[in-house]
Amino acid sequence: QLQLVEAGGGLVQPGGSLRLSCAASVSTLDYYGIGWFRQAPGKERERVACISSTFGTTNYADSVKGRFTISINNAKNTVYLQMDSLKPEDTAVYYCAADHGTAWCWGRDYWGQGTQVTVSS
């Protein structure tokens, strides 16, 4: 059973930066699509970014393109989400999720516990 542990959330001012991390309890992240979703109060869950080291692909929601960067450290089995130029509308609980056997993040297989990101002055 894959476990995902997120870290790095917090309170930041508009225009600031945060880096989230997601550590996976597996020997390799090969053949996983792994990434980040977020959910704000009263809103639907949104896929933010997804990465596949096997297929060498990254994907981003239009709302974060050019501001967020997803990356993977295969030696540590950890995925990162660098968030720059943060806006109040980025405020949400951010969840790490992984799906096996795919390059895409469907959000079907494994989830982390979530970490709160609040962007406010």
Side-chain angles (χ1 to χ4, degrees), residues 99-118:
D99 291 277
H100 189 256
T102 176
W104 189 241
C105 299
W106 298 102
R108 294 178 306 195
D109 292 347
Y110 306 102
W111 288 86
Q113 80 283 0
T115 185
Q116 176 70 45
V117 172
T118 302

Side-chain angles (χ1 to χ4, degrees), residues 9-93:
L11 172 65
V12 63
Q13 292 186 344
S17 298
L18 279 176
R19 189 176 80 155
L20 306 182
S21 64
C22 173
S25 63
V26 288
S27 58
T28 177
L29 284 173
D30 288 349
Y31 305 110
Y32 283 92
I34 185 166
W36 297 89
F37 292 73
R38 68 185 181 186
Q39 188 162 23
K43 294 188 176 181
E44 292 188 356
R45 186 177 64 193
E46 175 186 24
R47 183 186 298 108
V48 175
C50 183
I51 189 167
S52 167
S53 61
T54 299
F55 296 97
T57 57
T58 57
N59 290 277
Y60 297 93
D62 287 343
S63 57
V64 306
K65 279 182 181 177
R67 300 188 298 119
F68 290 12
T69 303
I70 190 169
S71 62
I72 191 167
N73 183 326
N74 287 303
K76 295 183 178 181
N77 292 323
T78 299
V79 175
Y80 301 96
L81 185 68
Q82 177 67 40
M83 305 185 294
D84 299 318
S85 302
L86 282 161
K87 304 175 181 180
E89 51 263 44
D90 294 318
T91 296
V93 178

